[in-house]
Amino acid sequence: MTIPLPGSQVRGSKTGKPIMALLDLLGRTWALGIIWNLHSGPATFRELQQRCEKISPTLLNTRLKELKTLQLIEMKEAGYQLSHQGVDLFKIVSPLGHWSSQWAQALKEESE
Amino acid sequence: MTIPLPGSQVRGSKTGKPIMALLDLLGRTWALGIIWNLHSGPATFRELQQRCEKISPTLLNTRLKELKTLQLIEMKEAGYQLSHQGVDLFKIVSPLGHWSSQWAQALKEESE
DNA sequence: ACATCATGCTACAATATTTGTAGCACAGTT
DNA sequence: AACTGTGCTACAAATATTGTAGCATGATGT
């Protein structure tokens, strides 16, 4: 799977619009999960594997390469961590944490 | 693939935390793309297929079922549309549109 | 009544992605 | 020199996605 660079064709769009590249990226298994799990602080490869519970090293490495290329994460002494842009991205999606709780509650009440 | 109901085990987590169910859902191919494309208004199955450019009917239907079950979209006279909760979710992720442009710009400058 | 059209959607084989297990290569300790 | 922990690769099995064809139903026209 090619890395969804903004400006190039991606899954779901020939236009190369940045949002399409981003949706392609975030729509890949574990991409958002990795960003979410890195938010709590830098992690080594193996620790990140554990935070993600069930990710295979093969896929983790694939995603890390993509996220590095797209400058959302970076590898420093402390391990992998969100880059400046990664942090910005996380800030946008972070309300999902709270929203998902309410959503779960609504689904639960519905089923009663 | 089972539908990531909050409270049940999902890819990446045994805890069933709502955020994990949500990340599982949004991490599936096209899930975010469908929500994004529905934001501009209701669409019939075939029109949605076109908005998504390259989605297969098989997958579109699979995702629509998931999103319906999770009450993010609903099917009315006008076609498929975001539910109340779907709209809320979209509101959270909508800043990604603007953010992705800046991100693309930064990547571009980097490569010069 | 009958053909024509558009709709939502399914069937299914081909293809691509993801998982899971094992383990290599390297660096720092003991 | 063995023992740890690290990042990461190999590769086959399992699973997800695509692409094409087309069915079934309902509305519209003749």
Side-chain angles (χ1 to χ4, degrees):
Chain A
M1 197 147 57
T2 56
I3 298 179
L5 270 175
S8 63
Q9 287 195 199
V10 297
R11 284 195 300 184
S13 176
K14 302 164 203 154
T15 63
K17 279 181 194 149
I19 183 61
M20 287 304 164
L22 183 62
L23 291 182
D24 182 3
L25 174 70
L26 297 185
R28 294 179 181 190
T29 309
W30 275 112
L32 256 176
I34 289 171
I35 291 171
W36 197 269
N37 281 312
L38 275 181
H39 149 252
S40 54
T44 64
F45 188 93
R46 296 204 177 200
E47 191 189 332
L48 193 47
Q49 243 184 308
Q50 288 181 335
R51 286 193 197 167
C52 292
E53 291 188 48
K54 284 190 180 289
I55 195 170
S56 69
T58 318
L59 184 59
L60 178 55
N61 191 238
T62 303
R63 286 291 168 274
L64 287 175
K65 275 183 195 161
E66 293 171 0
L67 293 170
K68 252 185 292 183
T69 300
L70 297 172
Q71 297 180 23
L72 297 177
I73 64 173
E74 56 201 12
M75 168 67 145
K76 298 244 165 147
E77 299 242 331
Y80 288 100
Q81 59 186 253
L82 293 178
S83 68
H84 176 63
Q85 295 194 344
V87 171
D88 279 354
L89 177 56
F90 178 80
K91 280 183 194 157
I92 292 179
V93 298
S94 63
L96 292 178
H98 181 238
W99 180 86
S100 65
S101 299
Q102 295 193 282
W103 168 63
Q105 187 63 32
L107 283 176
K108 195 179 158 201
E109 282 166 9
E110 176 78 13
S111 70
E112 275 169 5
Chain B
M1 198 148 55
T2 57
I3 298 180
L5 270 175
S8 63
Q9 287 196 199
V10 297
R11 286 193 300 183
S13 176
K14 302 165 202 152
T15 62
K17 278 181 195 150
I19 184 63
M20 287 304 163
L22 183 62
L23 291 181
D24 182 2
L25 174 70
L26 298 185
R28 295 178 180 191
T29 310
W30 274 113
L32 256 177
I34 290 171
I35 291 171
W36 196 270
N37 281 313
L38 275 181
H39 150 253
S40 54
T44 63
F45 187 94
R46 294 203 177 202
E47 191 190 331
L48 193 48
Q49 242 183 311
Q50 288 181 337
R51 286 193 197 166
C52 292
E53 289 188 49
K54 284 191 181 290
I55 196 171
S56 69
T58 318
L59 184 60
L60 177 55
N61 190 238
T62 303
R63 285 293 168 274
L64 287 175
K65 275 182 196 162
E66 293 170 2
L67 294 170
K68 252 186 293 184
T69 300
L70 297 173
Q71 298 181 23
L72 298 176
I73 64 172
E74 55 201 12
M75 168 66 144
K76 298 243 167 151
E77 299 241 331
Y80 288 100
Q81 58 188 254
L82 293 178
S83 69
H84 175 64
Q85 295 193 342
V87 171
D88 279 355
L89 177 56
F90 178 80
K91 279 183 194 158
I92 293 178
V93 297
S94 63
L96 292 178
H98 181 236
W99 180 86
S100 66
S101 299
Q102 295 192 283
W103 168 64
Q105 188 64 32
L107 283 176
K108 195 179 158 201
E109 282 165 11
E110 177 78 13
S111 69
E112 275 168 7

